[in-house]
Amino acid sequence: MRTAYQNELSALLAQVGDMCGLAGVSMERATRALLGPDLTLAEEVITDHEAIVEMGVATEERALVLLARQAPVAGDLRTVVSSMKNAADVDRMAALALHVATIARRRHPRCAVPDDVAPYFTEMGRIAVDLGNSARDVVVSRDPRKAAQIRHDDDAIDELHSHLFTVLKDQEWRHGVAAGVDVALLSRYYERFADHAVELARRVIYQATGSVA
């Protein structure tokens, strides 16, 4: 029975990890759709989003079954509860990738971001995907040192987000209000994607150490 229980815990963590991986793939594809611009890829991100939502529901149900049948305590209880919260964060990460793809589709055949700020989104997309992949790894490994690195890596995307707002406020901005709104929203989506990865990392540290710092 104990072996089966531990296998269920491992399966729960693996499922959350799989969700992280799918969210990272969604953001990678959404970024390519945005910068292409690529309407077909944007449509694929939008269509495939439902699979991540369904996986989130299944993850929550699996966690609730573990709580009801096994009544975990201490570290195991932290793992189960944190996994439920992590699944919710990954669901939001996937939704943010969906928002990026939606803007890409709405502005097609024009690229939603002007050429002079496109490199910022290339970099934000790269960092966001790396953070999603790192979140997948730390959820499964429960390594607090790797989790701490995610919190550090988030600083880079925060800096890009802040810099883009400086660009938007510059009197030299010549791309109009609509493009400015798109850039502001898109930058926020990438920044929030990274923030949710940081929340995952914080919970992994909590699972491993019991510390909320």
Side-chain angles (χ1 to χ4, degrees):
M1 288 292 293
R2 188 65 184 174
T3 299
Y5 168 52
Q6 289 301 321
N7 287 341
E8 278 297 312
L9 279 178
S10 296
L12 177 63
L13 292 172
Q15 194 160 359
V16 177
D18 289 344
M19 286 184 67
C20 291
L22 288 175
V25 169
S26 291
M27 185 55 92
E28 188 271 333
R29 294 162 71 200
T31 301
R32 286 196 285 123
L34 174 70
L35 298 174
D38 188 325
L39 180 60
T40 300
L41 201 52
E43 294 282 7
E44 288 177 2
V45 172
I46 293 166
T47 300
D48 293 346
H49 176 70
E50 188 59 32
I52 302 177
V53 174
E54 291 174 358
M55 187 176 288
V57 172
T59 299
E60 182 177 357
E61 289 176 350
R62 172 173 265 167
L64 289 171
V65 167
L66 272 171
L67 287 173
R69 292 182 178 175
Q70 303 293 343
V73 296
D76 287 350
L77 178 60
R78 291 199 299 267
T79 295
V80 175
V81 173
S82 293
S83 293
M84 294 174 67
K85 294 180 179 179
N86 285 346
D89 270 302
V90 183
D91 184 76
R92 294 185 187 105
M93 290 166 74
L96 290 161
L98 173 68
H99 294 336
V100 173
T102 300
I103 288 181
R105 180 178 66 175
R106 183 184 306 138
R107 298 305 183 196
H108 191 271
R110 180 176 63 83
C111 183
V113 296
D115 289 345
D116 51 353
V117 296
Y120 296 109
F121 286 98
T122 299
E123 182 64 5
M124 291 179 86
R126 183 192 66 78
I127 296 169
V129 171
D130 285 348
L131 286 170
N133 291 335
S134 295
R136 176 196 61 204
D137 293 341
V138 301
V139 161
V140 175
S141 69
R142 290 186 274 185
D143 187 331
R145 290 173 297 179
K146 291 181 179 179
Q149 184 63 41
I150 287 179
R151 299 171 72 177
H152 173 75
D153 292 344
D154 173 61
D155 293 342
I157 213 163
D158 286 342
E159 290 173 6
L160 287 165
H161 177 62
S162 296
H163 181 71
L164 275 170
F165 271 82
T166 300
V167 171
L168 288 173
K169 290 187 292 184
D170 196 307
Q171 293 181 352
E172 301 266 327
W173 179 260
R174 63 185 186 280
H175 304 291
V177 173
V181 170
D182 283 343
V183 167
L185 284 173
L186 287 162
S187 180
R188 179 61 171 165
Y189 295 153
Y190 284 98
E191 188 260 346
R192 288 301 298 151
F193 185 97
D195 284 348
H196 286 298
V198 170
E199 280 300 301
L200 283 160
R202 183 185 63 78
R203 291 194 193 98
V204 167
I205 293 171
Y206 174 65
Q207 289 174 41
T209 68
S211 172
V212 295

